[in-house]
Amino acid sequence: MITVGQVRALAVTLPRTSEHLIRDRVKFRVGSIVYVAFSRDETVMGFAFPKEERAALVASEPGKFRLPGESDLRFNWVEAWTAALDEPEMRELVVEAWRMVVPKKVAAARLGS
């Protein structure tokens, strides 16, 4: 199980990230683009993910991942149950979500080519 605190510890190390509390939901973003957000009860973590790959991700582990609500299907977004994620998997999902929203130069400087 992962927590907001674990995600926060990672997110603050990613360049250009800021944390916001919006309508009782913790969100991490770069500029105005949210790349990770938690449900109010912190049982679900939403994260940026390529639209064309999300159906396969959800189908591969439906007990862990789910599609976002209908109003959010237009975004590059997927959701995961926090109780089903371990820390290495969370780290990979958060870093890849962050990489989607920062300029390539920024990602390369932080992560290498």
Side-chain angles (χ1 to χ4, degrees), residues 10-18 29-30 35 98 102 106-107 109-110:
L10 171 60
V12 299
T13 70
L14 299 172
R16 301 188 184 187
T17 292
S18 59
R29 64 187 195 191
V30 171
Y35 68 91
W98 170 81
V102 294
V106 174
R110 170 64 165 79

Side-chain angles (χ1 to χ4, degrees), residues 12-44:
V12 299
T13 70
L14 299 172
R16 301 188 184 187
T17 292
S18 59
E19 180 179 343
H20 301 271
L21 186 62
I22 301 169
R23 288 181 240 158
D24 297 326
R25 296 181 62 194
V26 175
K27 297 183 179 197
F28 297 94
R29 64 187 195 191
V30 171
S32 63
I33 302 172
V34 175
Y35 68 91
V36 171
F38 285 87
S39 61
R40 284 183 179 90
D41 63 3
E42 300 178 3
T43 60
V44 176

Side-chain angles (χ1 to χ4, degrees), residues 2 6 10 85-95:
I2 60 111
Q6 290 171 298
L10 171 60
L85 294 174
D86 60 21
E87 186 154 352
E89 188 169 35
M90 174 277 291
R91 294 181 73 76
E92 180 181 348
L93 295 171
V94 170
V95 169

Side-chain angles (χ1 to χ4, degrees), residues 71-87:
S71 64
D72 290 332
L73 284 173
R74 67 182 186 263
F75 300 114
N76 290 313
W77 201 252
V78 105
E79 296 177 343
W81 299 104
T82 56
L85 294 174
D86 60 21
E87 186 154 352

